[in-house]
């Protein structure tokens, strides 16, 4: 199978929950942010902002809030840097979520390419969490404009433990030409007549 450093980084990136307190340099953070900046977005709207949190008190505060959606808050509190990915929906009302997500993945892959671990705390949509509105509480801690939305918090550091992961096999998820019929799933019908 074809392989190269980009494919290897994509394959080997893991969501890490437990970090050491080993440092991450400003130069490394800059390279990671640069990768986020170069993410694609609809009409090149670039609706993202990145809050880089290094302050230990703020990190602990964020980790405590994130404990509601991820159990490994201790490891998160130790991590030397967290990047909070936010988006301004007014810059891209239709696709701000995808733009924030693709920027987040760029950050994670860039970290991986530098030998650093990362994670993705899924803040967007966490307003449904029974424990309260995680996104709103994080925005308040970070003095973020009310209209902005947080997509994710990405802690970046050195992994304490190497995790394993798994993916559904290609044979299951790839459909040549047309979607294979799924038991109990009705195929979609066209909303508009098909033009030939
Ligand atoms: C949109 C999104 C939201 C996620 N939210 C969380 C989260 O809130 N807490 C958490 O521990 N991991 C979260 N993750 C990480 C996933 O749990 C992880 O990607 C998945 O288990 C596969 O593991 P891997 O990334 O190590 O291969 C999120 C990932 C994505 C893409």
């Amino acid at each position: 199978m074809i392989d190269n450093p980009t494919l290897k980084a994509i394959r080997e990136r893991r969501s890490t929950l437990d970090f050491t307190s080993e440092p991450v340099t400003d130069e490394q953070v800059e390279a990671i942010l640069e990768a986020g900046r170069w993410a694609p977005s609809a009409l090149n709207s670039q609706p993202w902002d990145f809050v880089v949190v290094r302050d230990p008190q703020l990190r602990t505060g964020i980790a405590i809030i994130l404990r509601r959606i991820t159990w490994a808050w201790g490891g998160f509190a130790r991590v030397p840097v967290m990047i909070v990915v936010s988006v301004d929906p007014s810059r891209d009302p239709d696709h701000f979520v995808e733009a924030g997500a693709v920027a987040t993945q760029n950050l994670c892959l860039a970290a991986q390419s530098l030998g650093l671990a990362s994670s993705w705390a899924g803040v967007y949509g966490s307003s449904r969490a029974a424990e309260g509105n995680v996104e709103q509480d994080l925005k308040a801690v970070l003095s973020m404009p009310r209209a902005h939305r947080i997509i994710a918090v990405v802690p970046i550091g050195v992994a304490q433990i190497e995790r394993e992961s798994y993916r559904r096999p290609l044979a299951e998820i790839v459909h040549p030409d047309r979607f294979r019929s799924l038991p109990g799933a009705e195929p979609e019908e066209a909303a508009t007549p098909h033009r030939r």
Side-chain angles (χ1 to χ4, degrees), residues 5-24:
T6 306
L7 295 171
K8 188 168 158 22
I10 291 170
R11 215 173 43 241
E12 294 186 352
R13 179 214 54 78
R14 291 282 73 78
S15 297
T16 301
L17 297 172
D18 231 325
F19 294 90
T20 70
S21 47
E22 280 175 73
V24 173

Side-chain angles (χ1 to χ4, degrees), residues 14 16-25 28 32 75-76 78-81 111-112 114-119 155-162:
R14 291 282 73 78
T16 301
L17 297 172
D18 231 325
F19 294 90
T20 70
S21 47
E22 280 175 73
V24 173
T25 66
Q28 287 172 316
I32 291 166
F76 276 23
R78 240 189 335 264
V79 75
V81 60
Q112 176 68 27
L114 298 175
L116 295 168
S118 66
S119 192
I156 293 169
V158 174
Q160 180 92 266
I161 324 160
E162 298 287 326

Side-chain angles (χ1 to χ4, degrees), residues 23-196:
V24 173
T25 66
D26 288 341
E27 209 184 1
Q28 287 172 316
V29 171
E30 190 186 4
I32 291 166
L33 292 168
E34 189 65 8
R37 188 169 83 92
W38 279 101
S41 56
L43 300 171
N44 205 11
S45 57
Q46 305 173 52
W48 42 66
D49 285 274
F50 306 115
V51 185
V52 180
V53 184
R54 278 201 183 270
D55 178 84
Q57 258 184 313
L58 261 182
R59 280 192 278 117
T60 306
I62 291 171
I64 289 170
I65 295 171
L66 289 179
R67 180 164 47 168
R68 301 181 206 156
I69 55 171
T70 180
W71 54 269
W73 75 281
F76 276 23
R78 240 189 335 264
V79 75
V81 60
M82 293 175 177
I83 301 178
V84 182
V85 180
S86 71
V87 286
D88 176 356
S90 72
R91 285 184 185 269
D92 184 354
D94 293 331
H95 296 294
F96 65 88
V97 179
E98 297 99 301
V102 78
T104 304
Q105 178 69 345
N106 270 16
L107 300 180
C108 295
L109 290 176
Q112 176 68 27
S113 77
L114 298 175
L116 295 168
S118 66
S119 192
W120 179 320
V123 174
Y124 187 86
S126 62
S127 52
R128 287 187 300 274
E131 300 82 355
N133 192 322
V134 169
E135 183 185 1
Q136 190 175 345
D137 290 348
L138 285 174
K139 282 167 66 179
V141 164
L142 298 166
S143 313
M144 192 172 285
R146 192 164 286 172
H148 283 226
R149 301 297 309 264
I150 296 181
I151 298 298
V153 177
V154 181
I156 293 169
V158 174
Q160 180 92 266
I161 324 160
E162 298 287 326
R163 275 190 57 252
E164 300 220 325
S165 196
Y166 108 103
R167 292 296 186 268
R168 294 163 62 200
L170 283 183
E172 182 185 322
I173 60 177
V174 176
H175 304 255
D177 289 330
R178 289 198 170 78
F179 215 98
R180 272 189 307 280
S181 68
L182 293 183
E186 281 290 308
E188 186 58 277
E189 287 175 12
T192 47
H194 188 64
R195 286 205 197 102
R196 289 181 192 275

